[in-house]
Structure formats: structure tokens, C-alpha cells
Amino acid sequence: MIIAIIPAKNISRRLPKKNMTKIFGKPLIYYTILYSQKSQMIDKTVVSSESQKIITYAKKNFLETIVRPSKLCGETPIIDVYRHAYKILKKKYKIKTMVGLQPDHPDRKISLDKVIKIFKRKKLDFLYSKDKYDNKNGAHYILSKRILEGNKSKKTSYIIDNCTNVHLKKDLKKVKKNLKER
């Protein structure tokens, strides 16, 4: 089973409440939910958050949710958030792969199915995305069961997805422009 996790915390240092900031009348998280739901390979999409507002929004969109402890918000390594979700979800599902999709990349350039196919074809344990300047971004984190259970990666790779990494108000302008062009 392939499960997508959208880690959507309420707290953001640079752009307050950014995951619920509206672009064209929809919150930022909407675009990541839509991206996941367009995939033919994702079996389930789950939102992990400490925010009741975000959890309510996810449930209104018929998504399963995980209440994330506040200690896993802020400057926590994202792998800890994915492992937390895995520990909860593995009780219900036979997870082989977890796909992490951070909501602050609403204008991803590569289809999710294409990214998952690369992960499978190369028989990876971990695949992440970078922008064209070689900066790691949270647009895609694909993790094998092996990594989620705390084992070392045998095979890691990355893809280039030059999408916007939203941190500031000026980034929202770039996202609007990119989404309009689609």
C-alpha cells in the first residue's frame, strides 16, 4: 500500500498560518490534496496536523487525519513527522511506501505518478526533490518501509522539481503566476 502524508502544521515562523493561506480562494493545502488525489498510485491520503482548523478542513475533503503532537511541529526533522504517521497508520494498513507531500509546494511540475514510478524502477529506499539550484525541498519525500522503521537507506536518489517553496508573501505571487499559466 502507498500512503501519502500531508504534514500541515499551523505554526510557521516566516508566513503565519501559511498552509491555510488562500490562493485563488483555496487554502495552500488544497493544491497538495488535489495533487495527491490525481495520482493513480496513491491508495490513501492522510493529513497530519496539530491544528483543529486544518484537521476539520481535511475531514471536509474526506481525508483521514492524524493529530500530531505539538512537539513534532516547529523545527522538527520531517522524517520524525513521517515516522509518527507510520507508527499510527501501520496498525490499520500494510504500508510499503509513504509519500510525504508538504503543502508549501502548490505548483509542483512533475506528476506524482511519475515520481513514484522513478522510486519503484530504481528500487530506492528514499527519494526526495530539489530545485534547479540544488536546494532540497519538501515537494516529494518517498520513503520505503525500511526507512520508516528506522533502518539505514540502501539506495537514495533525488529528482529535480523546480516548484515554488512558499516561505514568504512574495512566494505567493510566484505561485499565483505559475498556477495561472497552467
Side-chain angles (χ1 to χ4, degrees):
M1 178 172 228
I2 300 176
I3 292 187
I5 299 294
I6 300 174
K9 62 186 179 179
N10 188 45
I11 302 159
S12 177
R13 279 181 304 146
R14 295 171 276 197
L15 184 59
K17 301 181 190 292
K18 77 175 166 185
N19 292 321
M20 293 303 285
T21 298
K22 300 233 172 154
I23 297 176
F24 301 124
K26 303 282 185 187
L28 200 60
I29 190 174
Y30 163 83
Y31 297 95
T32 298
I33 291 169
L34 186 63
Y35 180 74
S36 179
Q37 290 176 334
K38 283 182 180 179
S39 169
Q40 301 295 307
M41 300 177 82
I42 295 293
D43 296 303
K44 179 165 278 303
T45 302
V46 179
V47 172
S48 167
S49 184
E50 88 294 3
S51 164
Q52 191 55 53
K53 185 175 182 179
I54 292 171
I55 287 171
T56 299
Y57 180 81
K59 287 181 177 179
K60 283 183 183 175
N61 284 278
F62 309 103
L63 298 176
E64 190 169 334
T65 60
I66 294 172
V67 178
R68 188 183 341 161
S70 57
K71 70 178 183 178
L72 290 178
C73 298
E75 298 306 310
T76 302
I78 196 67
I79 187 69
D80 293 344
V81 174
Y82 296 134
R83 284 186 175 138
H84 172 259
Y86 175 73
K87 284 178 188 171
I88 291 170
L89 295 170
K90 75 177 184 175
K91 297 171 188 168
K92 291 169 52 175
Y93 307 109
K94 289 189 174 200
I95 303 168
K96 289 188 176 186
T97 306
M98 187 171 277
V99 177
L101 302 169
Q102 291 176 228
D104 53 357
H105 303 278
D107 58 350
R108 291 170 176 88
K109 311 287 188 225
I110 303 170
S111 85
L112 183 50
D113 286 346
K114 182 176 180 180
V115 178
I116 294 169
K117 286 175 184 173
I118 292 167
F119 178 83
K120 286 182 165 198
R121 187 181 71 244
K122 292 184 173 185
K123 297 179 181 170
L124 299 171
D125 284 315
F126 179 43
L127 177 72
Y128 61 96
S129 54
K130 293 181 175 183
D131 65 21
K132 67 182 179 183
Y133 303 108
D134 206 37
N135 297 311
K136 192 173 179 181
N137 64 35
H140 307 91
Y141 276 88
I142 304 183
L143 306 151
S144 69
K145 181 178 177 179
R146 169 185 184 77
I147 298 298
L148 292 165
E149 291 182 345
N151 297 307
K152 292 202 179 226
S153 173
K154 286 186 176 181
K155 219 168 165 196
T156 299
S157 190
Y158 66 90
I159 58 162
I160 301 295
D161 190 334
N162 202 38
C163 57
T164 307
N165 194 345
V166 176
H167 290 299
L168 306 167
K169 279 191 176 190
K170 70 177 183 169
D171 300 327
L172 295 172
K173 290 178 184 175
K174 184 177 176 186
V175 165
K176 285 180 183 178
K177 180 181 180 276
N178 290 342
L179 291 174
K180 263 187 182 177
E181 289 174 1
R182 287 191 194 159

